[in-house]
Amino acid sequence: MKNTTKAPVLFISHGAPTFAIEPGLLGPMLQTLGTQLPALKAVLVVSPHWQTRDVRVMSTPRPETVHDFGGFPSSLYALQYPATGQPELANEAARLLRAADLTTELDDGRGLDHGAWVPLMHLLPEAKLPVFQVSMPVNLTTLQAVKMGQALAPLRHQGVLIVASGSMTHNLYDYRQSGAQPASYAQEFTTWVQTAVLAKGINQLVNYRAEAPDAQRAHPSEEHFLPLLIAMGATTAADQVSVLAGGISNGALSMESYVWGLQ
């Protein structure tokens, strides 16, 4: 049956890899959200843990679960997310990106990094939907991130859920053990971003480095914030946005997330 419902767009703060086994506030919200999603054909994930020179699109038929981290509990390395890939839709995503003048290649050997499978274990725990990823160029700017989202947006009309996986704040120098007191700058930055997102202030977000409080401390490097701009680019003015208030974990990792276009 042809899917005629436009799929939503998500920005999910995936936090540390331990989010897979320590759901905190956000995990149950994602589980509930997963039950409210419309009929979908596939999930497209953009993650900061796959950065390449140009854009690459995963066309792997059966992607492996990649444990691309070290020094965490052994139970994490036993986790698997056995979703299939979706080569046909990967080809369509590559076509759309090329049409937007983005140099794009297919990758038929890439697996799912933890920026993809960790949040999906909460959102879609049964792993029944096909999943494929789109990489982020290493030199991606905020404006280019919006352009990427705009290029991928037509996939929503084909039943593809776009998941931009990043982190509302991501300063690992301030990372603390679970239960640490939240850093005030992380909350202030989160509040500023939420105001801009709810106001559909794309220009503010593009210029967040200059306008947001403690932007440099919240994101010493930009790769975990850029997925939010990709998500914003894939939305329209008619998409209603909902906030998933995930709190702050490990002292400085804001888990706040958003969903657009959920009917």
Side-chain angles (χ1 to χ4, degrees):
M1 181 181 295
K2 185 177 180 181
N3 191 307
T4 57
T5 301
K6 186 170 69 171
V9 176
L10 276 65
F11 169 75
I12 299 178
S13 291
H14 63 253
T18 48
F19 178 46
I21 56 176
E22 298 174 359
L25 296 175
L26 182 60
M29 294 180 192
L30 292 178
Q31 291 169 19
T32 298
L33 176 61
T35 67
Q36 299 170 344
L37 295 172
L40 299 168
K41 286 181 66 176
V43 181
L44 182 164
V45 181
V46 180
S47 160
H49 298 285
W50 189 20
Q51 292 183 275
T52 52
R53 187 183 65 177
D54 297 313
V55 183
R56 296 184 71 85
V57 181
M58 175 196 295
S59 57
T60 315
R62 293 191 172 275
E64 296 181 359
T65 302
V66 181
H67 299 87
D68 51 338
F69 46 79
F72 288 93
S74 59
S75 56
L76 278 176
Y77 301 91
L79 295 177
Q80 296 291 315
Y81 192 79
T84 63
Q86 229 301 353
E88 181 181 350
L89 285 168
N91 272 279
E92 176 63 8
R95 185 190 70 78
L96 291 168
L97 290 161
R98 290 175 187 133
D101 296 323
L102 294 164
T103 303
T104 305
E105 300 294 336
L106 294 172
D107 188 324
D108 64 1
R110 175 73 185 180
L112 296 172
D113 64 58
H114 80 271
W117 65 263
V118 166
L120 290 180
M121 290 194 81
H122 297 294
L123 181 71
L124 298 165
E126 296 182 356
K128 290 184 177 180
L129 281 173
V131 180
F132 66 102
Q133 289 190 235
V134 173
S135 75
M136 286 172 40
V138 293
N139 59 352
L140 191 68
T141 67
T142 53
L143 276 173
Q144 290 167 341
V146 174
K147 182 179 179 180
M148 272 188 71
Q150 291 170 338
L152 294 168
L155 292 171
R156 297 177 61 192
H157 295 280
Q158 299 184 44
V160 178
L161 175 70
I162 296 176
V163 175
S165 174
S167 192
M168 182 56 63
T169 58
H170 194 259
N171 188 333
L172 297 184
Y173 297 106
D174 292 338
Y175 183 91
R176 301 292 183 265
Q177 294 299 316
S178 296
Q181 188 71 19
S184 59
Y185 81 86
Q187 186 56 63
E188 291 167 6
F189 181 85
T190 299
T191 299
W192 183 92
V193 173
Q194 182 187 124
T195 300
V197 168
L198 293 179
K200 303 185 187 299
I202 189 68
N203 290 332
Q204 288 176 280
L205 292 164
V206 163
N207 297 313
Y208 85 100
R209 212 73 172 159
E211 297 188 23
D214 290 302
Q216 190 73 39
R217 188 174 180 187
H219 289 279
S221 56
E222 292 196 277
E223 75 283 346
H224 278 75
F225 189 77
L226 291 172
L228 175 61
L229 277 299
I230 294 173
M232 292 287 287
T235 65
T236 68
D239 287 321
Q240 293 188 351
V241 58
S242 298
V243 179
L244 304 177
I248 295 174
S249 69
N250 302 101
L253 298 182
S254 173
M255 299 295 288
E256 182 151 302
S257 303
Y258 303 105
V259 55
W260 294 264
L262 185 65
Q263 304 300 326

